[in-house]
Amino acid sequence: MSATLESHIKKFIDLSPEQAAMVTAYAKPVQAKKKTFLLKEGQICASNYFVERGCLRMFFTDEKGVEQTTQFAIENWWLTDYASFCSNKPSQFSIQAVEHSTIIAFDKTALDQLFTQLPQLERYFRLLLEKTAGATQWRVKYIYDLSKEEMYRFFSASYPDFVQRVPQYMLASYLGLTPEYLSEIRKKK
């Protein structure tokens, strides 16, 4: 197993060398060049992706043809369309590499088999999903409580890596801003 993934898992659960080898047996390493699609809207999301190096984003295209970014994932983060992944139904989202990325993919069958063989992995994913759900709740609250400029300032202070690595139009989309307005906010610094 990659040292990065093993280290991340061990932050949450115990894993013996034999168990780590079992996880490795189901892992599929993926190299994704910048702008490569791992999932396109309308396809069934077949994998859950762990980012070893790089950056991914999940987005949908609205009725006007504008891309709306809903999530990012950088090193040590997971990304998938859970609705499609779990139901085996077409996705409403796309997942794309923002920069050249090294990823570890696990398909649904592999994860189900791992959960049967290593029940503590279910705990690992439950703990991750709890953190994700909490972050999503806070994001929704900030959408209602903060002005667009306050939202950018908060995000910028909380996640400086994203601000430096993600193209401005993607960041603007994630924050619900136009690229032009985001540029104005940045000039105010």
Side-chain angles (χ1 to χ4, degrees), residues 19-31:
Q19 292 168 328
M22 287 173 71
V23 174
T24 300
Y26 289 99
K28 179 184 171 196
V30 177
Q31 294 292 322

Side-chain angles (χ1 to χ4, degrees), residues 1 3-24 50 78 106 111 114-131:
M1 175 185 330
T4 306
L5 178 57
E6 185 172 354
S7 173
H8 192 268
I9 292 173
K10 286 182 175 181
K11 287 180 185 177
F12 296 88
I13 62 168
D14 292 328
L15 202 62
S16 71
E18 295 79 20
Q19 292 168 328
M22 287 173 71
V23 174
T24 300
F50 178 80
W78 288 87
F106 292 88
L111 281 179
L114 277 169
F115 293 158
T116 300
Q117 295 171 7
L118 301 172
Q120 68 267 38
L121 272 183
E122 282 191 316
R123 175 179 165 74
Y124 166 72
F125 278 99
R126 179 184 56 81
L127 293 171
L128 291 178
L129 287 171
E130 286 173 356
K131 287 179 71 169

Side-chain angles (χ1 to χ4, degrees), residues 34-47:
K34 183 177 180 176
K35 297 188 179 184
T36 298
F37 282 89
L38 300 171
L39 173 69
K40 289 187 179 180
E41 189 174 338
Q43 295 177 333
I44 293 172
C45 186
S47 296

Side-chain angles (χ1 to χ4, degrees), residues 127-144:
L127 293 171
L128 291 178
L129 287 171
E130 286 173 356
K131 287 179 71 169
T132 301
T136 300
Q137 289 171 326
W138 278 107
R139 180 172 181 222
V140 171
K141 182 181 184 330
Y142 294 142
I143 289 170
Y144 287 104

Side-chain angles (χ1 to χ4, degrees), residues 33-102:
K33 293 181 181 176
K34 183 177 180 176
K35 297 188 179 184
T36 298
F37 282 89
L38 300 171
L39 173 69
K40 289 187 179 180
E41 189 174 338
Q43 295 177 333
I44 293 172
C45 186
S47 296
N48 194 350
Y49 302 101
F50 178 80
V51 181
E52 273 196 307
R53 186 176 51 84
C55 181
L56 306 177
R57 73 172 176 136
M58 184 164 29
F59 68 96
F60 67 93
T61 305
D62 69 16
E63 66 280 347
K64 295 178 185 173
V66 177
E67 294 177 357
Q68 301 294 325
T69 301
T70 59
Q71 287 182 267
F72 290 105
I74 57 173
E75 289 80 10
N76 295 314
W77 289 28
W78 288 87
L79 187 63
T80 194
D81 173 359
Y82 280 104
S84 175
F85 184 71
C86 294
S87 70
N88 205 36
K89 292 186 177 169
S91 179
Q92 300 295 308
F93 300 93
S94 295
I95 297 176
Q96 182 183 43
V98 174
E99 55 192 37
H100 182 77
S101 300
T102 302

Side-chain angles (χ1 to χ4, degrees), residues 145-160:
D145 284 353
L146 302 178
S147 71
K148 298 294 186 183
E149 185 170 341
E150 289 170 329
M151 180 103 98
Y152 168 73
R153 301 268 180 238
F154 177 79
F155 185 83
S156 178
S158 300
Y159 303 101

